[in-house]
Amino acid sequence: MKEVWKRQWINHAQLLASMSPCGRGKVGALIIDERNNIVSSGFNGPPRGVPGTLCGGDFCERDKRGCLSGELTEVGCHHAEQNALMNACARGAATQGCTLVTLMSPCLACAKLIHHAGIVEVITWANYDPRGAAYLGNVGVAVEVVSGGS
């Protein structure tokens, strides 16, 4: 993928992130096919149709419980990567051979889903959780941290 497109997709991920109700951090993610088209997108937030204290409430349940990234993933928001993958599944869109663009490097739990979904490359703006990137590298999924965005 050309550098100009990497930066453009990071900009798109930033726009998606602005939709997140999460007070802890806003992340957007896109799945891009080999022809540079959007397959799916997502941002971090509560399960569809389930507002409240899980995410976007008056406090963050994960902060209250002292949860670290990638741990106790049943508490709080779905990650942007999870939502992008599940949105693709919900509409029957193939992710095999695609690139995932996200603002933060994936946590270990998301990295496992990314690998199993057949994603071949992850482009990220910030190296957030080294465990996810290490896992992806070990299973042959390329991870690239790029500059860009607005």
Side-chain angles (χ1 to χ4, degrees), residues 20-37:
S20 171
C22 183
R24 190 177 191 187
K26 297 177 183 293
V27 181
L30 299 116
I31 298 173
I32 309 298
D33 71 14
E34 66 281 349
R35 294 187 58 161
N36 214 26
N37 295 305

Side-chain angles (χ1 to χ4, degrees), residues 52-149:
T53 59
L54 284 177
C55 189
D58 294 334
F59 64 92
C60 177
E61 185 67 25
R62 291 185 60 77
D63 281 344
K64 180 181 173 187
R65 295 189 191 187
C67 300
L68 300 175
S69 176
E71 296 179 3
L72 296 174
T73 57
E74 68 277 8
V75 177
C77 295
H78 288 167
H79 289 185
E81 303 91 337
Q82 291 171 321
N83 277 329
L85 288 166
M86 294 304 99
N87 289 338
C89 287
R91 52 184 283 263
T95 56
Q96 184 74 34
C98 289
T99 297
L100 186 134
V101 179
T102 182
L103 294 182
M104 302 286 217
S105 61
C107 71
L108 182 57
C110 285
K112 290 176 180 180
L113 293 174
I114 289 164
H115 167 235
H116 284 222
I119 302 289
V120 296
E121 179 181 27
V122 172
I123 296 170
T124 184
W125 191 33
N127 193 4
Y128 174 65
D129 187 343
R131 297 171 301 164
Y135 172 87
L136 290 169
N138 287 338
V139 297
V141 177
V143 177
E144 180 182 0
V145 179
V146 298
S147 61

